[in-house]
Coordinates of all heavy atoms in Angstrom, one line a residue:
E18 N 109.2 120.5 100.5 CA 108.7 121.6 101.4 C 108.1 122.7 100.6 O 107.1 123.3 101.0 CB 109.8 122.1 102.3 CG 109.4 123.1 103.3 CD 110.6 123.5 104.2 OE1 111.7 123.7 103.7 OE2 110.3 123.7 105.3
T19 N 108.6 123.0 99.4 CA 108.2 124.1 98.6 C 106.9 123.8 97.9 O 106.3 124.7 97.3 CB 109.3 124.6 97.6 OG1 109.6 123.4 96.8 CG2 110.5 125.1 98.4
A20 N 106.5 122.6 97.8 CA 105.3 122.2 97.1 C 104.1 122.1 98.0 O 104.2 121.6 99.1 CB 105.5 120.9 96.3
G21 N 102.9 122.5 97.6 CA 101.7 122.3 98.3 C 101.2 120.9 98.2 O 101.7 120.1 97.3
P22 N 100.3 120.5 99.0 CA 99.7 119.1 98.8 C 99.0 119.0 97.5 O 98.3 119.9 97.1 CB 98.8 119.0 100.0 CG 98.5 120.4 100.5 CD 99.6 121.2 100.0
P23 N 99.1 117.8 96.9 CA 98.4 117.6 95.6 C 96.9 117.4 95.9 O 96.5 117.1 97.0 CB 99.0 116.3 95.1 CG 99.5 115.6 96.3 CD 100.0 116.6 97.2
P24 N 96.1 117.7 94.9 CA 94.7 117.6 95.0 C 94.2 116.2 95.4 O 93.1 116.1 96.0 CB 94.1 118.1 93.7 CG 95.2 118.0 92.7 CD 96.5 118.1 93.5
W25 N 94.9 115.2 95.1 CA 94.5 113.8 95.4 C 95.0 113.3 96.7 O 94.8 112.1 97.1 CB 95.0 112.9 94.2 CG 96.4 113.1 93.9 CD1 96.9 113.8 92.9 CD2 97.6 112.5 94.5 NE1 98.3 113.8 92.9 CE2 98.7 112.9 93.8 CE3 97.7 111.6 95.6 CZ2 100.0 112.5 94.2 CZ3 99.0 111.2 95.9 CH2 100.1 111.6 95.3
E26 N 95.6 114.1 97.5 CA 96.2 113.7 98.8 C 95.2 113.0 99.7 O 95.5 112.0 100.3 CB 96.9 114.8 99.5 CG 97.5 114.4 100.8 CD 98.3 115.6 101.5 OE1 98.3 116.7 101.0 OE2 98.9 115.3 102.5
G27 N 94.0 113.6 99.8 CA 93.0 113.1 100.8 C 92.5 111.7 100.3 O 92.2 110.9 101.2
A28 N 92.5 111.4 99.0 CA 92.0 110.2 98.6 C 93.0 109.1 98.6 O 92.7 107.9 98.4 CB 91.5 110.3 97.1
A29 N 94.3 109.4 98.8 CA 95.3 108.4 98.7 C 95.5 107.6 100.0 O 96.1 106.6 100.0 CB 96.7 109.1 98.4
A30 N 95.0 108.1 101.1 CA 95.1 107.4 102.4 C 96.6 107.1 102.7 O 97.0 106.1 103.2 CB 94.4 106.1 102.5
A31 N 97.4 108.1 102.4 CA 98.9 108.0 102.6 C 99.3 108.9 103.7 O 98.7 109.9 104.1 CB 99.6 108.4 101.3
V32 N 100.5 108.6 104.3 CA 101.1 109.4 105.3 C 102.0 110.4 104.7 O 102.9 110.1 103.9 CB 101.9 108.5 106.2 CG1 102.6 109.3 107.3 CG2 101.1 107.4 106.9
P33 N 101.7 111.7 104.9 CA 102.5 112.8 104.3 C 104.0 112.8 104.8 O 104.2 112.6 106.0 CB 101.8 114.1 104.6 CG 100.5 113.7 105.2 CD 100.6 112.3 105.7
L34 N 104.9 113.0 104.0 CA 106.3 113.2 104.4 C 106.8 114.4 103.6 O 107.0 114.3 102.4 CB 107.2 111.9 104.1 CG 108.7 112.1 104.4 CD1 108.9 112.3 105.8 CD2 109.4 110.9 103.9
V35 N 107.1 115.5 104.3 CA 107.6 116.7 103.6 C 109.1 116.7 103.7 O 109.6 116.6 104.8 CB 107.0 117.9 104.3 CG1 107.5 119.2 103.6 CG2 105.4 117.9 104.1
V36 N 109.8 116.8 102.6 CA 111.2 116.7 102.5 C 111.7 118.2 102.5 O 111.3 119.0 101.7 CB 111.7 116.0 101.3 CG1 113.2 115.9 101.2 CG2 111.1 114.6 101.3
R37 N 112.6 118.5 103.4 CA 113.1 119.9 103.5 C 114.4 120.2 102.8 O 115.2 120.9 103.4 CB 113.2 120.3 105.0 CG 111.8 120.2 105.7 CD 111.9 120.6 107.1 NE 110.8 120.5 108.0 CZ 109.5 120.3 107.7 NH1 109.1 120.1 106.5 NH2 108.6 120.2 108.7
G38 N 114.7 119.6 101.7 CA 115.9 119.8 101.0 C 116.1 118.8 99.9 O 115.2 118.0 99.7
P39 N 117.2 118.9 99.2 CA 117.4 118.0 98.0 C 117.6 116.6 98.5 O 117.3 115.7 97.7 CB 118.6 118.6 97.3 CG 119.3 119.4 98.4 CD 118.3 119.9 99.3
G40 N 118.1 116.4 99.7 CA 118.4 115.0 100.2 C 117.4 114.7 101.3 O 116.3 115.4 101.4
F41 N 117.7 113.7 102.1 CA 116.8 113.4 103.2 C 117.5 113.6 104.5 O 118.6 113.0 104.6 CB 116.3 111.9 103.0 CG 115.2 111.7 102.0 CD1 115.5 111.7 100.7 CD2 113.9 111.7 102.4 CE1 114.6 111.5 99.7 CE2 112.9 111.5 101.4 CZ 113.2 111.4 100.1
A42 N 116.9 114.3 105.4 CA 117.5 114.4 106.8 C 117.3 113.0 107.4 O 116.4 112.2 107.0 CB 116.8 115.5 107.5
P43 N 118.1 112.8 108.5 CA 117.9 111.5 109.2 C 116.5 111.1 109.6 O 116.0 110.0 109.5 CB 118.8 111.6 110.4 CG 119.9 112.6 109.9 CD 119.2 113.5 109.0
A44 N 115.8 112.1 110.1 CA 114.4 111.9 110.5 C 113.5 111.5 109.3 O 112.6 110.7 109.4 CB 113.8 113.1 111.3
E45 N 113.7 112.2 108.2 CA 113.0 111.9 107.0 C 113.3 110.5 106.4 O 112.4 109.7 106.1 CB 113.2 113.0 105.9 CG 112.8 114.3 106.3 CD 113.4 115.4 105.5 OE1 114.3 115.2 104.7 OE2 112.9 116.6 105.7

């Protein structure tokens, strides 16, 4: 969550998943 999107994000055709902590919440 603390990191901005990388410059290559648009070219990756990937689905973004922002993690809001050191582990993964159930939805993540």
